[in-house]
Amino acid sequence: MRFAIPFVACLSTLAALPAVAQERSFNFALRGGVGVGPEYPGASSYQATPDLGFTFGSLEWGGRKIGTGIGNAPKTGFGLTGSFRYLGERDASDHPELAGLEDIDAAVELGFGVVYREVNWQVFGKVRRGFGGHEGVTGDIGADLIFRPDERWTITAGPRFSLGNDRFADTYFGVDTATPTFAAYEAEGGLLGAGVEIEATYRLDEAWALEGAVAYEHLLNDAADSPITQAGSDDQWTMRFGVSRAFNWRF
């Protein structure tokens, strides 16, 4: 009989494991769509690009929960968010004005952000590390007014400031060796652009949503002074439209 008590206790623990596992979940959304933006940073010509995005909803583990979930109005105070950006390749053979410059592969930037929210406004900062075409570090600082006309619509609008380190700036705005078109130029990092963005989200249901945004950025400092930008434009417009799907991963 004395062996039965530990055996029963062990069975009780195993039986409880699935219930405990159900308390762990990761809520997030993935976005896919199309966008329009400069053919390369500093270009005056535009092209269609893929629009990919990731949004952090919530993380629940061991009875503790961070975030309120996709589609719900976020709590006031500090929070965490993911950050993702895709930069297409720059091929000199496709752009006569870039003759003599090295090609740049497509790059993916991954990182995270910190946000402080109130009901009708928010401020945030994001940092990302590049993989592929560049291995630099970039970031954004911004603020938004938040409008919720009804339970389905969320509209945000506010200023944006773009930053990048020396490695990022020199990859896209530097000229290593003088060419027939460009003089040699070493671009340093720092504040590289400032502008504004307007974004709208319309929730179709608890899982699906439509998202769109329009942004304007004016390149600054070494990004604006680059001979690449001088031959293109320091005014950069981007637009995107996509569909997002929320997921709740239990583990």
Side-chain angles (χ1 to χ4, degrees):
M1 178 65 69
R2 64 176 181 270
F3 297 106
I5 295 177
F7 181 70
V8 171
C10 182
L11 288 179
S12 299
T13 301
L14 291 174
L17 285 178
V20 173
Q22 291 301 313
E23 295 178 1
R24 299 197 298 266
S25 65
F26 179 37
N27 179 245
F28 61 97
L30 298 177
R31 184 183 72 245
V34 296
V36 176
E39 293 191 301
Y40 55 86
S44 59
S45 53
Y46 288 76
Q47 65 179 357
T49 60
D51 172 44
L52 304 173
F54 167 84
T55 303
F56 172 80
S58 64
L59 175 63
E60 186 173 3
W61 193 320
R64 296 185 178 182
K65 185 176 182 179
I66 302 173
T68 56
I70 299 297
N72 298 318
K75 293 180 180 179
T76 60
F78 286 99
L80 297 176
T81 182
S83 185
F84 173 90
R85 185 169 70 158
Y86 172 83
L87 296 173
E89 65 178 3
R90 191 185 77 183
D91 192 336
S93 64
D94 295 332
H95 308 284
E97 70 275 15
L98 300 181
L101 295 182
E102 293 185 359
D103 296 338
I104 302 175
D105 294 334
V108 172
E109 297 179 354
L110 301 175
F112 67 94
V114 177
V115 59
Y116 180 84
R117 296 186 181 95
E118 291 293 338
V119 175
N120 296 317
W121 61 272
Q122 65 181 7
V123 293
F124 62 86
K126 299 178 180 180
V127 62
R128 297 178 298 273
R129 201 269 194 188
F131 299 89
H134 82 87
E135 297 182 351
V137 177
T138 67
D140 306 293
I141 299 173
D144 285 314
L145 292 176
I146 304 173
F147 307 92
R148 297 184 179 88
D150 57 40
E151 62 182 10
R152 292 184 180 272
W153 281 101
T154 301
I155 301 171
T156 62
R160 300 288 187 270
F161 300 92
S162 301
L163 302 99
N165 66 357
D166 291 352
R167 196 165 189 176
F168 171 81
D170 204 44
T171 297
Y172 289 97
F173 300 105
V175 180
D176 292 338
T177 305
T179 72
T181 306
F182 301 122
Y185 179 79
E186 183 177 357
E188 296 183 354
L191 179 63
L192 301 179
V196 63
E197 182 176 32
I198 301 173
E199 180 179 0
T201 301
Y202 180 78
R203 301 217 61 82
L204 299 172
D205 54 33
E206 293 183 357
W208 295 92
L210 303 177
E211 299 184 20
V214 178
Y216 165 76
E217 180 182 41
H218 183 76
L219 298 179
L220 300 172
N221 300 322
D222 279 23
D225 295 337
S226 167
I228 297 173
T229 303
Q230 295 294 318
S233 175
D234 53 14
D235 293 321
Q236 307 277 280
W237 289 89
T238 57
M239 294 178 287
R240 63 173 175 81
F241 178 79
V243 179
S244 69
R245 172 69 160 85
F247 298 89
N248 197 40
W249 175 39
R250 299 186 180 277
F251 56 97

